[in-house]
Amino acid sequence: MTNPQPDQAARADRRSLPYPGDEAIAAARRRAHRAFAQLFTALGAGGHRLHYAVVDVDGRYRLASATVTVTTAPAWHLDADPDEFAAIEAAVTAALEGSCTVLATLVVQTDQEPDPVVCGWRIERGWLHGMKPAAVQAAVRPCGGGSAPVARAYPAPFLPDPSVTS
């Protein structure tokens, strides 16, 4: 599929979202790669479940999730379903670019004994900003009567914005 051109008419059966341009998308993708590198370095070894949620400019709500396993010895390695991870990567890239996003969050649940832990980031102004533990805890609270362990929220690790630190 080719990128839309400014002189193309919108199809009646498709919604029309702004197209930010190839340069903006490429810059957002570079930021997404940096963000994931920082994220997995901060989270460290173990099993992590990434949950992404977004409300786009049309008011549509979308979800994506991926399970990843990070190993650090003898060398760093990330193991994930390629389709799941590609969906998360594309979604975070779109949120970092920002032209079609109203609200986006990335919440990570990490398997830990005796219970899992969770933290999260809002994606706005082109970067990931740590959420307060109370907001994350409210977002991941299980429905009544569930038998799953309740994840304990903690402050999200700070991820330095490369546009500010470079």
Side-chain angles (χ1 to χ4, degrees):
M1 175 190 284
T2 59
N3 291 331
Q5 300 301 312
D7 59 344
Q8 284 180 317
R11 286 182 21 195
D13 63 334
R14 295 178 93 176
R15 63 188 178 139
S16 178
L17 294 174
Y19 182 73
D22 293 341
E23 289 179 23
I25 293 168
R29 184 152 190 200
R30 286 189 298 275
R31 284 194 308 277
H33 288 166
R34 288 185 191 120
F36 281 120
Q38 290 181 18
L39 175 77
F40 292 123
T41 299
L43 294 173
H48 309 286
R49 183 81 178 156
L50 285 66
H51 302 277
Y52 172 84
V54 66
V55 177
D56 68 20
V57 294
D58 286 346
R60 295 179 188 206
Y61 187 73
R62 301 281 186 236
L63 301 171
S65 60
T67 300
V68 299
T69 302
V70 177
T71 54
T72 57
W76 276 89
H77 179 75
L78 177 75
D79 185 34
D81 176 282
D83 294 330
E84 283 184 355
F85 193 76
I88 289 278
E89 181 183 30
V92 168
T93 297
L96 289 171
E97 189 281 319
S99 67
C100 297
T101 303
V102 174
L103 173 66
T105 60
L106 179 65
V107 173
V108 178
Q109 180 172 320
T110 300
D111 297 330
Q112 246 183 17
E113 293 298 328
D115 294 315
V117 294
V118 66
C119 64
W121 294 265
R122 290 178 332 281
I123 303 173
E124 57 187 23
R125 299 181 316 276
W127 198 242
L128 286 78
H129 305 275
M131 294 170 63
K132 293 182 179 181
V136 175
Q137 192 73 56
V140 300
R141 184 180 13 234
C143 295
S147 62
V150 177
R152 177 184 50 83
Y154 68 97
F158 174 72
L159 305 177
D161 183 345
S163 66
V164 175
T165 58
S166 299

